[in-house]
Amino acid sequence: MGSGIAHVFALKGFEVTLVEAKKELADKALAVIAKNLDRQVAKGAVTAADKDAALSRIKPALSPKEAPGFQFAVEAVSERMELKTSVFRELDAAAAPGAILATNTSSLSVTEIAASVKDPSRVIGMHFMNPVPVMKLVEIIRGLQTSDETYQVTRELSLKLGKTPAAAKDFPGFISNRVLMPMINEAIYCLMEGVSTKEDIDTVMKLGMAHPMGPLQLADYIGLDVCLAVMEVLHQGF
């Protein structure tokens, strides 16, 4: 999702530093962005000049220290609290005074993540949907100490990116995954208990409930590891 977030920011005119753990991962992310931009050009959604300009705005890096004094960051690492708080400490050390630090977490506590930095009022949840260049929603989650200014800047930025912001409080799973993941889990139970085939379970939800993708197909798309991680957060939180 990090590459998709970088793609959207760069396409809207922002200078982006794309931080990855290894150079080969950064190279792979840039290749994915270029491929997805080519797809948009082929569909007439953007011009070839737009594509070239967007790519020119993305600088790969191996540490936030390579972008000292940045004003806004979006973290998109794995759903592990210890990893996220480690990244936030790095971001906090490199950021400009007053910079906003956003997390793309899909379920973890924004308040707990914010506790790892000097000023928790500058931390907010900015949960993009996958694939980021296509999906319009950004779920914005306020931690207990998130300031009104941080929220307003993040909301306005979401609109500048062409997204529709929806506000949520800092509960496990927020809105999206608190509703989605138990539904996916029930679809898996329907399959496990032999209620129906995977194809017919997905067909019922697509044609009966107007979902663009069935829950089992969606679970594969999200990743079963991610689905499990979110369900464990919900189980622990509730």
Side-chain angles (χ1 to χ4, degrees):
M1 290 193 74
S3 63
I5 294 167
H7 171 149
V8 168
F9 270 87
L11 198 56
K12 292 298 182 178
F14 294 95
E15 296 295 326
V16 177
T17 300
L18 177 62
V19 181
E20 282 284 7
K22 299 177 182 178
K23 182 180 183 301
E24 52 266 36
L25 293 175
D27 292 342
K28 182 180 178 182
L30 288 171
V32 168
I33 293 169
K35 181 180 177 182
N36 288 336
L37 283 166
D38 282 335
R39 187 178 291 116
Q40 288 181 300
V41 171
K43 291 181 176 180
V46 302
T47 66
D50 291 334
K51 171 202 164 185
D52 293 340
L55 288 173
S56 73
R57 296 185 190 108
I58 303 174
K59 170 191 164 188
L62 300 181
S63 167
K65 294 177 182 178
E66 296 181 48
F70 62 81
Q71 296 176 312
F72 199 98
V74 184
E75 161 276 314
V77 300
S78 300
E79 288 288 278
R80 302 202 313 273
M81 181 59 75
E82 68 277 10
L83 177 59
K84 288 188 182 291
T85 53
S86 173
V87 168
F88 264 77
R89 284 190 290 270
E90 289 186 54
L91 292 172
D92 198 28
I100 292 173
L101 308 179
T103 173
N104 185 53
T105 182
S106 58
S107 62
L108 295 175
S109 169
V110 174
T111 302
E112 186 174 346
I113 293 169
S116 64
V117 306
K118 293 188 291 288
D119 183 1
S121 73
R122 299 183 293 111
V123 176
I124 196 164
M126 195 178 192
H127 180 208
F128 291 84
M129 302 294 122
N130 200 20
V132 181
V134 176
M135 302 293 279
K136 291 294 185 183
L137 177 67
V138 173
E139 194 175 26
I140 300 178
I141 305 99
R142 298 179 66 146
L144 287 177
Q145 297 185 61
T146 302
S147 69
D148 291 341
E149 181 186 6
T150 295
Y151 172 77
Q152 287 300 333
V153 170
T154 305
R155 185 180 187 281
E156 289 166 14
L157 181 57
S158 300
L159 293 170
K160 288 178 183 177
L161 295 175
K163 305 299 184 185
T164 300
K169 292 184 180 179
D170 192 16
F171 284 78
F174 319 130
I175 301 167
S176 55
N177 281 324
R178 181 171 177 170
V179 175
L180 174 64
M181 287 302 167
M183 184 195 75
I184 286 177
N185 206 47
E186 284 303 314
I188 292 170
Y189 266 103
C190 284
L191 181 64
M192 182 184 76
E193 294 172 358
V195 175
S196 190
T197 64
K198 62 183 186 295
E199 292 83 6
D200 281 348
I201 293 167
D202 278 353
T203 295
V204 166
M205 297 306 293
K206 285 190 290 185
L207 300 186
M209 284 67 180
H211 292 192
M213 189 182 294
L216 297 174
Q217 182 185 1
L218 181 57
D220 284 336
Y221 186 79
I222 294 168
L224 298 182
D225 55 339
V226 177
C227 292
L228 175 60
V230 175
M231 286 299 291
E232 287 175 339
V233 169
L234 294 178
H235 179 253
Q236 181 181 17
F238 293 117

